[in-house]
Amino acid sequence: MASQDGEQYDWNLGRSGREYPEDSAANEPDPFPFVETEIVRRRGRGWIGLGVFLVILVVIVVALDAGARWYAGNLIEAKARSSLSIADSTPVTVDIAGASVLYQAAIGKFERVDVAIAKLGVGDVSGKATLTATGVPLSQSKPLESARLAVVTSPEELKKLLAGFTTLPVTSVKIGSGAVQIGTSVTALGVTVPVAIAFVPKAVDGQLELTPKSLVVNGATVTPDGLRSTFGPLADPVLATQKICVARYLPKQLPLDSVIVKGSSLELAVAGKAVTLDRALLTTKGVCA
């Protein structure tokens, strides 16, 4: 290393061999480092503030919609009680389907409403009921798009309906295995024989039809054909399809729509379109042909 003008030179570095000092300005600290940091912080706070605002907005909308759902549910419950003559002591639950009640109210009708009734009487039959209505308008004077009322009844309640409306004396009623079993009797040659007949129920032209499926005679299971071969024409009343007109108990606009065996209960459902839920609906009954 040689010295020139009092400075050190390194002859092994570069062509000139001179070692230049580093730029001191490049290593000087930023005189305003807080400016950029503050901008970043403010941007971060802005996003956080926006997020908090959106969360609060969502909470407010949800609260308003929940309040509207509660209010609308109470109105529908009151309307169902007055129209279906439901006692104040009978529990009634209303469920309004759809994402937003506020939106449905804005367009003037609810998409679907389900009303669960702990006990409802329809003619001689009573049981748990569910009213399902679609296209429910806010104006109570306007009709629903469709309505379906299903009543789940017990064997004891069904016996009340069957007694006096079948050609057979009904001594007992059981429900199970997809059938309704009616206990009755057959008299042949002066001898009365107890018979239990299993009927398949269904709704046909607004009537309840019971078609014989199997029979139990004196503890022995026989087919309809087997009973007919034994008793001949005497078995015809037992083997005949029983048609029960329930229209006289039901609103004219809501004829019997379906009959379904559910475990040890029977569901009887009526349905109709363009139905106005008012007292006139119940007072105008159907007519049996």
Side-chain angles (χ1 to χ4, degrees):
M1 175 77 67
S3 174
Q4 182 179 352
D5 299 329
E7 294 183 3
Q8 297 290 331
Y9 288 85
D10 186 356
W11 300 102
N12 295 321
L13 295 176
R15 180 175 296 179
S16 65
R18 183 166 182 167
E19 184 180 272
Y20 295 93
E22 295 180 356
D23 185 359
S24 60
N27 295 326
E28 290 182 2
D30 189 348
F32 304 104
F34 62 87
V35 175
E36 184 176 355
T37 302
E38 185 64 20
I39 292 175
V40 172
R41 287 178 180 173
R42 288 183 179 180
R43 288 177 178 173
R45 291 171 186 168
W47 285 113
I48 294 174
L50 178 60
V52 172
F53 170 75
L54 291 177
V55 170
I56 294 175
L57 182 62
V58 170
V59 171
I60 292 174
V61 171
V62 170
L64 289 174
D65 193 73
R69 189 178 295 273
W70 174 83
Y71 180 74
N74 284 344
L75 290 180
I76 294 172
E77 178 185 341
K79 182 65 175 177
R81 286 186 183 277
S82 63
S83 299
L84 299 176
S85 300
I86 304 171
D88 293 338
S89 59
T90 302
V92 174
T93 303
V94 177
D95 179 59
I96 302 175
S100 172
V101 170
L102 291 175
Y103 171 75
Q104 294 183 71
I107 63 176
K109 64 180 178 180
F110 298 113
E111 178 182 338
R112 171 174 167 165
V113 175
D114 294 294
V115 181
I117 306 166
K119 186 176 182 180
L120 179 67
V122 180
D124 291 334
V125 177
S126 64
K128 292 183 179 180
T130 301
L131 172 64
T132 301
T134 62
V136 182
L138 295 183
S139 175
Q140 298 182 12
S141 62
K142 294 182 179 179
L144 314 172
E145 288 182 3
S146 67
R148 183 178 188 270
L149 178 64
V151 179
V152 178
T153 186
S154 64
E156 293 76 17
E157 293 294 325
L158 183 59
K159 184 179 177 181
K160 297 177 184 178
L161 176 65
L162 297 179
F165 291 96
T166 63
T167 58
L168 302 171
V170 179
T171 58
S172 65
V173 174
K174 295 181 181 180
I175 303 173
S177 301
V180 174
Q181 187 183 76
I182 296 178
T184 185
S185 59
V186 177
T187 301
L189 302 178
V191 179
T192 301
V193 180
V195 178
I197 312 170
F199 291 94
V200 177
K202 61 181 178 179
V204 179
D205 297 330
Q207 296 189 83
L208 172 61
E209 278 197 2
L210 301 174
T211 304
K213 175 183 177 183
S214 62
L215 304 92
V216 177
V217 182
N218 281 335
T221 301
V222 296
T223 63
D225 290 339
L227 187 67
R228 185 174 283 106
S229 64
T230 301
F231 291 95
L234 295 176
D236 289 344
V238 176
L239 299 177
T241 296
Q242 304 294 316
K243 295 183 179 181
I244 304 169
C245 178
V246 294
R248 69 188 69 180
Y249 298 115
L250 302 175
K252 185 177 181 180
Q253 296 184 64
L254 296 175
L256 187 65
D257 179 66
S258 68
V259 181
I260 303 173
V261 175
K262 291 189 173 182
S264 59
S265 301
L266 187 69
E267 180 189 86
L268 303 169
V270 297
K273 296 184 181 297
V275 176
T276 301
L277 196 61
D278 54 19
R279 288 192 177 276
L281 174 68
L282 296 181
T283 57
T284 306
K285 304 295 185 181
V287 178
C288 295

